Amino acid sequence: MSGLSTHVLDAVHGAPAVGLRVSLFHAKNGEIATATTDADGRVPELLPAPIEVGNYRLSFDTGSYFEVLNTPTFYPEVSVSFTVTDPNAHHHVPLLLSPFAYSTYRGS
């Protein structure tokens, strides 16, 4: 597997974050991809390999997601910046989400 994927879990509801909009930005090229999480909270291939070496940012539209659930949130958007150094490696960026906290890590 290669390319870029993400997985969003809603920690408050103990379930995948379904229907959450995710946008990918490249430092030099601006927005290069947009997708919505599936029934498992995943975007399995936001960008196929090879991925250009450089700096990227994933933007998760958490405000709209929690608005649909009628849940107030402190973070209307979560942005995760990362660097690609190996264009052929798989890059997985998971997000664990709640209305007042979030965490992320480099997944496999």
Side-chain angles (χ1 to χ4, degrees):
M1 179 183 275
S2 56
L4 174 67
S5 61
T6 189
H7 186 199
V8 185
L9 295 173
D10 181 332
V12 170
H13 297 99
V18 178
L20 193 148
R21 182 181 165 99
V22 181
S23 299
L24 176 65
F25 297 84
H26 183 272
K28 294 180 183 175
N29 302 324
E31 186 174 348
I32 58 173
T34 301
T36 302
T37 56
D38 63 16
D40 194 32
R42 296 179 184 273
V43 177
E45 188 176 80
L46 191 55
L47 195 63
I51 300 175
E52 182 180 342
V53 169
N55 295 321
Y56 292 82
R57 177 174 54 90
L58 278 172
S59 175
F60 298 87
D61 184 6
T62 53
S64 294
Y65 170 76
F66 283 119
E67 184 176 348
V68 167
L69 298 174
N70 199 30
T71 302
T73 182
F74 185 70
Y75 299 105
E77 175 187 7
V78 171
S79 291
V80 179
S81 297
F82 59 97
T83 301
V84 170
T85 57
D86 180 352
N88 295 305
H90 178 66
H91 296 80
H92 183 65
V93 182
L95 180 67
L96 182 60
L97 180 63
S98 75
F100 300 98
Y102 64 89
S103 65
T104 186
Y105 56 94
R106 168 120 192 229
S108 58

